[in-house]
Amino acid sequence: MDKVDAVLVRSLLIEQHPDLAELDLRPVAGGWDNQMWRLGAELAVRLPRTERAPGLLDKERRWLPMLAERLPLPIPTPLRFGEASDHFPRPWTIARWVPGEPSDRATIRRGDHAADALAGFLGVLHQEAPADAPVNPSRGVALETCDVGAQFDAAIPDRIADDVQRVWDAAVSAPQWDGPPVWLHGDLHPANVVVSNGTLAGVIDFGELCAGDPATDLSAAWLVLPAGAAERFFDTYANADAATIQRARGWAVLRAAGLMSIGLAWQRGLPGGQPTWGKAGRAALDRVLADR
C-alpha cells in the first residue's frame, strides 16, 4: 500500500467527496487499526491500516448511528463512506470529530463530574442488545476463558503480582453475568475517551463494539477515572451488584496489564508500542489495588 499522506487523502476526497475536498486537512497522532486525519472543524477521515480494520469500520457504520441517537456523550458517528479504489485499496469513512484530548495525554481533574458522565453514558449504552449484535471472543465473555498468565508475567511487577492474582482469582470465582447480553463499547481505556475542561467529554474508537457482560466496560471505573472516583461512579450507575463489580475489577487488572505490555513494547522499540500507555496502565492498576 502506498504511503498515506495529505496528498493521498486529498485525492480520495476529490474523487469521492468533492464538496469536502477543500476543507483543512491535518494528521492526528495515535490510532491503532485506523489512521485518522482531521477534516475541517467537525469531521475526521479514518483510513484502515490493519487487515481487520475494514471490518471494524463496517461494524461502526451499521450500529453507531443508531446508538448515537440516545447516548449522552459525543461519539465518532460515521457520516460518509469511501469505497476502495486505485488510490486506496480499502473502504474508509468520514466521521464526526469528537473534540478534546485523549485521557492518556490529558488529566481528568473533575473526578466527580467525570464519574457521573461516564456512569450516565454506560447506563444508557448498557441496554439489551439485539440478537444479531456482534460478539467478541475477548470482550464481554466469562473471565475464566481469558488466558492471562503470559501477560501478567510479562507486565506485572513481582512485588505486586500476588495482589493482582488475588483480584483476578476473586473476579473469576464471582458469579457470572446471568442477564441478557447488553451493548458494550468493549475497549474503554484512557486513549479511547477524550477530556475537555478537566472532565470526560466524549468516547471514541468503537471498533470492539459488541454484546455481553457489562463488567467489561465497568472496568473503566479504574482504567479511566482518577483515584477515588470509582465509588461515586458505581453509585451513579446504580445497576451493578457486588459480583459485577468484582468481575469489573478483574477486567480492570487484565486491561491494565495489556496497556502496560504495550508500553513495554514501546520502550523496547517493538512494533505496536505506545509511549503513553504503560504509565496509564500502571496508574490504573494502582487504583484497582488501592480500592478495596
Side-chain angles (χ1 to χ4, degrees):
M1 187 183 300
D2 293 336
K3 177 183 177 182
V4 176
D5 56 18
V7 173
L8 173 59
V9 179
R10 186 80 66 188
S11 71
L12 294 174
L13 293 169
I14 292 171
E15 178 183 66
Q16 300 189 38
H17 297 281
D19 59 315
L20 303 178
E22 297 303 318
L23 293 176
D24 184 45
L25 187 67
R26 53 197 185 279
V28 178
W32 191 268
D33 290 291
N34 298 283
Q35 182 174 356
M36 189 157 60
W37 292 73
R38 185 87 179 268
L39 180 64
E42 299 181 352
L43 302 173
V45 179
R46 299 180 74 200
L47 298 159
R49 58 159 45 117
T50 66
E51 291 297 326
R52 74 177 196 140
L56 303 183
L57 288 180
D58 187 62
K59 178 168 58 176
E60 292 184 359
R61 175 178 181 170
R62 178 178 180 186
W63 296 109
L64 287 194
M66 176 269 292
L67 293 173
E69 293 177 355
R70 54 188 176 86
L71 291 174
L73 289 173
I75 66 173
T77 311
L79 301 174
R80 297 200 192 184
F81 311 99
E83 302 299 329
S85 67
D86 291 340
H87 288 115
F88 190 76
R90 294 171 176 164
W92 47 282
T93 66
I94 299 173
R96 188 177 307 281
W97 174 255
V98 179
E101 286 293 322
S103 72
D104 61 324
R105 302 198 298 266
T107 301
I108 293 178
R109 300 187 308 274
R110 299 161 61 194
D112 286 351
H113 188 282
D116 291 346
L118 181 61
F121 177 86
L122 292 179
V124 173
L125 176 63
H126 288 171
Q127 304 301 312
E128 182 175 353
D132 59 343
V135 295
N136 189 312
S138 61
R139 315 293 164 96
V141 297
L143 283 168
E144 63 187 21
T145 67
C146 301
D147 184 7
V148 302
Q151 186 160 269
F152 279 8
D153 289 344
I156 304 300
D158 289 343
R159 63 182 178 278
I160 60 171
D162 289 345
D163 292 335
V164 170
Q165 190 65 48
R166 278 191 286 271
V167 172
W168 179 254
D169 291 344
V172 170
S173 64
Q176 295 186 17
W177 174 249
D178 60 0
V182 301
W183 277 117
L184 305 176
H185 177 279
D187 203 22
L188 283 174
H189 63 73
N192 286 342
V193 300
V194 297
V195 174
S196 180
N197 297 319
T199 190
L200 191 67
V203 179
I204 59 176
D205 198 345
F206 282 74
E208 303 290 353
L209 180 73
C210 63
D213 178 1
T216 303
D217 280 355
L218 298 177
S219 62
W222 300 279
L223 290 167
V224 170
L225 297 175
E231 182 176 1
R232 176 156 182 148
F233 166 81
F234 283 110
D235 286 345
T236 304
Y237 182 81
N239 196 31
D241 60 15
T244 300
I245 295 174
Q246 196 83 293
R247 295 193 309 276
R249 295 184 78 223
W251 279 106
V253 297
L254 174 60
R255 303 304 309 285
L259 293 171
M260 293 165 69
S261 295
I262 292 169
L264 287 172
W266 177 79
Q267 292 178 15
R268 296 166 181 169
L270 299 175
Q274 296 286 344
T276 58
W277 288 25
K279 181 179 179 181
R282 180 55 199 266
L285 188 61
D286 288 344
R287 290 192 289 268
V288 178
L289 297 181
D291 188 356
R292 301 295 184 181

